[in-house]
Amino acid sequence: MTDATIDDRGRLTLPKELRERYGDRYHVVDLHDGIKLVPIADDPLDALRDEFADVEKTAAELREDARADAIDEAGR
């Protein structure tokens, strides 16, 4: 874990090791007990393709599975 401080202009500087590992762009998520920095890929579409490369179902099949799971969950 690393500490970081915000300067008088409101800028947060991340350590070099973190910038090299995760990049320079982040989405800031406001949580009830703090914030979370989520790295933004240089090409978000490529990142999605990589993330779902091993998924063999179509979008329609995934949607139907999610719908069935939601109905099942609601009936409990």
Side-chain angles (χ1 to χ4, degrees), residues 33-46:
D33 61 346
I35 61 169
K36 179 176 183 176
L37 299 177
V38 180
I40 298 173
D42 291 333
D43 186 343
L45 289 178
D46 275 346

Side-chain angles (χ1 to χ4, degrees), residues 69-76:
D69 288 346
I71 290 170
D72 183 49
E73 183 79 19
R76 290 184 189 181

Side-chain angles (χ1 to χ4, degrees), residues 41-69:
D42 291 333
D43 186 343
L45 289 178
D46 275 346
L48 281 173
R49 287 184 191 103
D50 290 344
E51 185 70 29
F52 293 100
D54 61 342
V55 175
E56 296 180 5
K57 292 185 177 184
T58 66
E61 291 169 328
L62 292 170
R63 196 175 310 117
E64 184 56 37
D65 288 350
R67 183 178 288 117
D69 288 346

Side-chain angles (χ1 to χ4, degrees), residues 2-63:
T2 302
D3 291 339
T5 57
I6 297 176
D7 68 12
D8 18 336
R9 293 183 60 192
R11 297 176 296 194
L12 175 69
T13 303
L14 297 177
K16 181 179 179 182
E17 302 84 40
L18 293 177
R19 294 191 314 269
E20 288 174 346
R21 183 173 180 183
Y22 297 108
D24 295 326
R25 297 186 61 216
Y26 297 85
H27 179 74
V28 179
V29 180
D30 185 6
L31 304 172
H32 70 281
D33 61 346
I35 61 169
K36 179 176 183 176
L37 299 177
V38 180
I40 298 173
D42 291 333
D43 186 343
L45 289 178
D46 275 346
L48 281 173
R49 287 184 191 103
D50 290 344
E51 185 70 29
F52 293 100
D54 61 342
V55 175
E56 296 180 5
K57 292 185 177 184
T58 66
E61 291 169 328
L62 292 170
R63 196 175 310 117

